[in-house]
Amino acid sequence: MGIKVGHETGAAYWRPECFGPDFFEVLGDERPAHRWLIMGPTRSGSTFHKDPNATSAWNAVIQGSKYWIMFPPAAQVPGVYVSKDSSEVTSPLSIAEWLLTFHEEARRLPECVEGICEAGEILHVPSGWWHLVVNIESGIALTQNFVPQSPGLHNLSEALSFLRDKADQVSGFRHDIENPSDLFIKRMGAKYPELLEKALDIADRKAGKKRRWDTAIAVGDEQPSGGFSFGFALGEDDDEIP
């Protein structure tokens, strides 16, 4: 569409600086589809879903107002059923039917977060959060997905894990990009090598894969019989080793 984004003359808008850097920017023109102008009539919206590729998102209401109801990643949302590998999400109800059937129950859950965004307001959707959105009135909104830099690199590690371990669920990349995971790792390694190393280590821990240190000292592995052998008695605090 040729829309310019940034602070330079002629730009249509700029990304809110409060969300910090977007690691997917290292992909340049090869990043997945990530921004949309959304228009809809009253009572239209989207059923419960998580944003693609383990990204976070911001949604800016330009005109109208939107009702949001959200739940953290591990929450069991009433009326929403997820396959074991999270590849399929089933909600046998329309937005209106879900609101009539499960809304009251869902609002009683301690994890529930809800609110209304008016024109000129921006809402942040953290990575992995379930959300349902309804237009209270006809409206226009601008939304963008991104991979933010969090203090513990949680968001980056989640994106790396998703691209690597759930390749069948990755979406938005051009068809000529055969391996989005390798591409992202290569670009991150060129620009943010230290952050990439730490984030991959976090991703490996979550996936139950041995870290390089554990592999080197063969923690928990049987030693060959006979001859000299040694080991380390590492407890749960091993996770804190940098």
Side-chain angles (χ1 to χ4, degrees), residues 11 18 52 54 68 71 81 106 135 142 171 187 208 220-221:
C18 60
W68 292 76
F71 295 87
Y81 308 96
N135 287 313
L142 180 67
S171 63
R187 297 290 176 80
D221 291 344

Side-chain angles (χ1 to χ4, degrees), residues 9-10 22 24 64 99 109 114 135 159 182 203 206 210 235:
T9 302
D22 175 7
F24 262 176
L99 290 171
L109 296 178
E114 61 178 340
N135 287 313
D182 285 353
K206 291 179 180 178
K210 283 189 175 182

Side-chain angles (χ1 to χ4, degrees), residues 23-24 50-56 73-74 86 126-129 146-148 150 152-166 170 181 184 195-196 198-207:
F23 285 128
F24 262 176
K50 295 182 179 182
D51 283 327
N53 305 324
T55 56
S56 300
S86 300
S127 171
W129 276 59
F146 65 105
V147 179
S150 53
L153 296 179
H154 167 77
N155 293 284
L156 177 57
S157 68
E158 287 294 309
L160 287 165
S161 294
F162 192 93
L163 295 180
R164 181 188 65 186
D165 302 331
K166 298 184 177 181
V170 172
S181 176
F184 187 42
L195 294 181
L196 173 64
K198 293 178 181 178
L200 283 174
D201 187 57
I202 295 171
D204 286 344
R205 294 187 196 184
K206 291 179 180 178

Side-chain angles (χ1 to χ4, degrees), residues 5-6 13-16 19-22 24-25 31-38 51-52 55-60 122-125 141-147:
V5 179
Y13 71 95
W14 62 87
R15 178 172 54 83
F19 297 122
D22 175 7
F24 262 176
E25 288 184 346
R31 71 178 298 167
H34 63 289
R35 57 175 179 253
W36 296 268
L37 184 65
I38 303 173
D51 283 327
T55 56
S56 300
W58 55 262
N59 186 291
I122 298 177
L123 181 133
H124 173 227
V125 182
L142 180 67
T143 185
Q144 182 165 321
N145 292 87
F146 65 105
V147 179

